[in-house]
Amino acid sequence: MLSAGPTPRVSLDTWEFVIAAENGTEHRWSWQELMALPQETPMVDIHCVTHWSKLGTTWQGVSLDTLLDGVDTGAHFALAHSYGGYTTNLPLDDLRGGRAWVAHTFDGAPLAPEHGGPARLLVPHLYFWKSAKWVRGIRLKTMDEPGFWETAGYHDYGDPWREQRYQGD
Amino acid sequence: MATGTPARAPIRWQVARLVERRVETPSAQTLVLEVPDWPGHLPGQHVDVRLTAPDGYQAARSYSIAGPVVDGPGGPCIEVTVQRVHDGEVSPYLIDVYGAGEPVEIRGPLGGWFIWRPEETAPVQLVGGGSGIVPLMAMIRARRATGSKVPFRLLYSVRTPDDVIYGDELRRRARDDFGLDVAYVYTREAPEGWRGEPHRIGLADVNTHGWPPDLEPLTYVCGPTGFVETVADLLVGLGHPSRRVKTERFGPTG
């Protein structure tokens, strides 16, 4: 239920991922550049806000630690944005420390469009709406800015172990 | 918290009681639940229903609200329609075991996107697959209840005639609710006298029974993931802007 509209179709020829620091500096990667970065293969459990979990899923992607290396920032918040217009907010710390990836492969196959391909954010320690499908970039922010579902009443942080589904949980 | 975000009260679990159940199909029932402190809702929203076993194990599922608030003997009631999920943890209990007057925990209303506001003026296209009809029916009922004159079209895909939820009411409303058109797609077995063969929903169905993009309709698509993917892709292919197509997918879709 976490896809709110039609599935966007994104060509790898025009795909890009952009990290924009709070001072306006942008760091860009094309598909080829992303694939040339060191790759990791996290095996993780994922938890959806609609009461299902999937254990031991295998992904391949680039760690946000790798992508944020060399980005000069003092920001505490991040707003991920996607092809198709979706947004979701996270504390920047939650994208660091080997806990977040830009993932392009699931179970050994290219990530299908309906599951967020060509690439999605993968932040398995938070509810899965934080793992933005069709991710296009991350804006670093000094102030927290709620994303699409957070504006519609979902929890700002979304810790599945504390069942933070909706605001006030 | 950023400025501009409205402060919200926590959405609390509260105890609801079963007032009445209606059999809709062999596998779907509508439960009328009395909720003393119900704050009201918009058509398209859902609730979470939570069961607690004697050993403390809890299971919760989301169910769409089927229509406006109704008056019960002891206060406001909401109606949810539950489709039996084979081997499910919650729906078989709600359909087979849960008895009149018994408590169940619910929280809501939930969902702030897949909603229709009666003050909207754009034509509305509803496309439902199976139990995906439920939030769309809430919109159809709210349209009549609020006196909205917005033209509605419903395209409803079911496996067989026996699987049509709200069948009698839809027939009546298609006759009496001025400006509501209802069309069906049968995927396995069509009723007698039906022209055409059973088939999965396709471009011709959506094109024939939908509004053209020029009319700038608001479109709501609800059903199993594969159904919603198919219909949403067809709508975009026909020229509907993505932002005018709201979807709700059932099942694990992360």
Side-chain angles (χ1 to χ4, degrees):
Chain A
M1 65 166 285
L2 295 177
S3 300
T7 294
R9 312 284 157 172
V10 188
S11 161
L12 297 185
D13 297 335
T14 55
W15 184 92
E16 63 173 3
F17 183 76
V18 183
I19 295 180
E22 70 276 22
N23 63 10
T25 310
E26 292 187 339
H27 304 256
R28 289 172 187 274
W29 292 266
S30 68
W31 187 257
Q32 288 76 13
E33 288 165 342
L34 183 85
M35 301 306 274
L37 292 172
Q39 304 288 314
E40 298 184 3
T41 53
M43 189 170 97
V44 297
D45 301 339
I46 55 181
H47 307 280
C48 181
V49 69
T50 57
H51 307 282
W52 59 267
S53 295
K54 205 166 178 178
L55 308 182
T57 59
T58 306
W59 304 76
Q60 186 180 323
V62 176
S63 169
L64 260 296
D65 292 320
T66 303
L67 294 163
L68 286 166
D69 190 34
V71 175
D72 183 21
T73 179
H76 292 295
F77 301 99
L79 185 70
H81 59 102
S82 299
Y83 291 95
Y86 182 76
T87 57
T88 189
N89 57 314
L90 315 89
L92 183 53
D93 273 354
D94 285 78
L95 294 177
R96 299 188 192 273
R99 298 190 293 166
W101 297 265
V102 172
H104 51 73
T105 299
F106 176 74
D107 267 350
L111 188 59
E114 62 266 33
H115 296 301
R120 72 180 299 164
L121 206 57
L122 175 64
V123 193
H125 71 281
L126 299 179
Y127 273 127
F128 219 39
W129 87 82
K130 297 289 186 181
S131 294
K133 294 180 181 181
W134 316 297
V135 70
R136 181 178 200 165
I138 292 171
R139 297 188 196 106
L140 306 181
K141 305 241 166 207
T142 50
M143 297 274 286
D144 192 14
E145 179 182 326
F148 178 85
W149 286 115
E150 293 82 5
T151 305
Y154 274 47
H155 198 275
D156 202 56
Y157 184 62
D159 181 351
W161 301 106
R162 288 184 278 167
E163 300 214 32
Q164 291 173 335
R165 290 189 169 86
Y166 305 108
Q167 286 181 29
D169 281 358
Chain B
M1 185 63 63
T3 53
T5 307
R8 284 165 201 268
I11 307 168
R12 297 188 189 289
W13 289 100
Q14 52 181 316
V15 175
R17 287 180 193 280
L18 181 64
V19 171
E20 184 194 342
R21 67 169 68 236
R22 290 196 295 273
V23 176
E24 303 285 0
T25 73
S27 61
Q29 293 187 6
T30 294
L31 308 182
V32 183
L33 300 169
E34 189 178 282
V35 195
D37 293 323
W38 187 249
H41 61 273
L42 291 167
Q45 289 191 294
H46 61 274
V47 291
D48 280 359
V49 176
R50 182 165 74 181
L51 305 177
T52 305
D55 66 1
Y57 175 75
Q58 291 186 324
R61 294 291 182 277
S62 299
Y63 293 105
S64 291
I65 305 170
V69 172
V70 293
D71 289 328
C77 296
I78 60 164
E79 300 185 351
V80 297
T81 302
V82 178
Q83 174 81 39
R84 180 193 301 276
V85 176
H86 188 61
D87 292 338
E89 281 188 323
V90 176
S91 60
Y93 174 87
L94 292 176
I95 287 177
D96 298 332
V97 182
Y98 181 46
E102 291 180 3
V104 70
E105 283 185 294
I106 74 164
R107 74 189 304 205
L110 302 170
W113 174 249
F114 195 83
I115 51 177
W116 176 69
R117 295 176 189 277
E119 60 269 28
E120 291 273 0
T121 55
V124 170
Q125 174 69 52
L126 309 173
V127 189
S131 58
I133 185 67
V134 179
L136 310 181
M137 192 63 175
M139 298 175 190
I140 289 170
R141 288 169 167 169
R143 172 184 181 272
R144 180 62 183 260
T146 59
S148 166
K149 300 290 192 291
V150 167
F152 266 42
R153 284 181 172 175
L154 168 67
L155 178 56
Y156 184 9
S157 171
V158 288
R159 287 196 295 184
T160 76
D162 287 343
D163 295 308
V164 176
I165 302 174
Y166 318 126
D168 290 342
E169 182 179 341
L170 283 171
R171 261 186 297 281
R172 179 170 55 75
R173 287 186 180 275
R175 188 190 65 210
D176 299 342
D177 287 14
F178 183 74
L180 169 68
D181 291 332
V182 179
Y184 294 89
V185 172
Y186 298 94
T187 61
R188 297 263 181 88
E189 179 194 326
E192 262 187 57
W194 184 259
R195 277 173 293 179
E197 293 295 310
H199 63 280
R200 288 185 179 270
I201 197 165
L203 181 63
D205 303 302
V206 176
N207 197 31
T208 302
H209 300 292
W211 299 110
D214 288 353
L215 293 182
E216 300 182 354
L218 258 179
T219 302
Y220 298 85
V221 188
C222 185
T225 303
F227 174 86
V228 173
E229 286 292 321
T230 297
V231 173
D233 286 352
L234 291 171
L235 288 162
V236 171
L238 285 167
H240 294 271
S242 288
R243 65 188 161 74
R244 303 287 287 175
V245 180
K246 299 192 176 198
T247 63
E248 187 144 288
R249 294 157 169 88
F250 289 172
T253 62

